[in-house]
Amino acid sequence: RYCISYEYGPQGKPYLKEYPNVQFSLSHSGMRAMVALSDTEVGLDVQQMCGYKDKIVKRFYHKNEQEVLFELTDDVQREKLFYDIWCCKEAYIKYTGQGMGQDLRDFYADFKSDDIVLASGESVAKYKILQTEDDGYCHAVVFHKNNTNIDKFIKISL
């Protein structure tokens, strides 16, 4: 048996007590669970897709994200992008460790150009939508802007 000891940072983000240089992020939704491990800060989110929600867009999405969504006329594309954005937002607040205490409208995933997260007009991190077969789930990871890639992605269904 292994015993993993963890503590919480000043913003409530957990870290491994015996391995402070190993960064991790956990997420689960529906029948899917994921973990990201890194040597730099990382945030991960998975969401089971269950329909587009206009109220969430108007309340939590940055104006640039709203603009991109409202340009779409295809309902399937709009729902997919809705979840891509939401996963990026959740992954970013896990990346920063600020959680839901952070205003989700203060930053946005730039879906029109590079895979970057912007706050106050500056690049603050990178994101990647993790593609799997069309199985009703969306996955995103946010990582340090100087990292160049993700080494491995393994999907585990529960």
Side-chain angles (χ1 to χ4, degrees), residues 42-93:
V42 64
L44 173 76
D45 191 53
V46 58
Q47 292 289 321
Q48 185 174 22
M49 297 178 1
C50 55
Y52 174 82
K53 296 172 177 58
D54 197 48
K55 287 182 181 181
I56 290 176
V57 173
K58 291 176 180 174
R59 182 170 179 195
F60 296 111
Y61 283 30
H62 186 277
K63 62 180 176 148
N64 292 20
E65 294 164 334
Q66 290 181 21
E67 179 182 298
V68 172
L69 270 171
F70 295 150
E71 287 175 357
L72 295 175
T73 56
D74 181 86
D75 291 340
V76 173
Q77 288 179 337
R78 183 180 293 126
E79 179 184 15
K80 173 70 172 109
L81 184 57
F82 167 82
Y83 281 97
D84 286 348
I85 292 170
W86 186 257
C87 281
C88 283
K89 289 185 147 331
E90 289 257 355
Y92 181 72
I93 63 177

Side-chain angles (χ1 to χ4, degrees), residues 114-130:
D114 279 337
D115 297 337
I116 56 173
V117 177
L118 299 161
S120 302
E122 293 186 30
S123 171
V124 293
K126 285 186 179 180
Y127 74 86
K128 182 164 182 64
I129 302 298
L130 304 172

Side-chain angles (χ1 to χ4, degrees), residues 32 34-36 43-46 80 84 87-88 91 127-133 135 137-143 149-155:
R32 177 96 23 103
M34 297 180 72
V35 62
L44 173 76
D45 191 53
V46 58
K80 173 70 172 109
D84 286 348
C87 281
C88 283
Y127 74 86
K128 182 164 182 64
I129 302 298
L130 304 172
Q131 299 297 332
T132 61
E133 66 276 0
D135 60 0
Y137 286 89
C138 178
H139 322 81
V141 63
V142 171
F143 49 96
N149 71 5
I150 296 170
D151 292 331
K152 190 180 282 189
F153 169 58
I154 301 170
K155 180 186 84 167

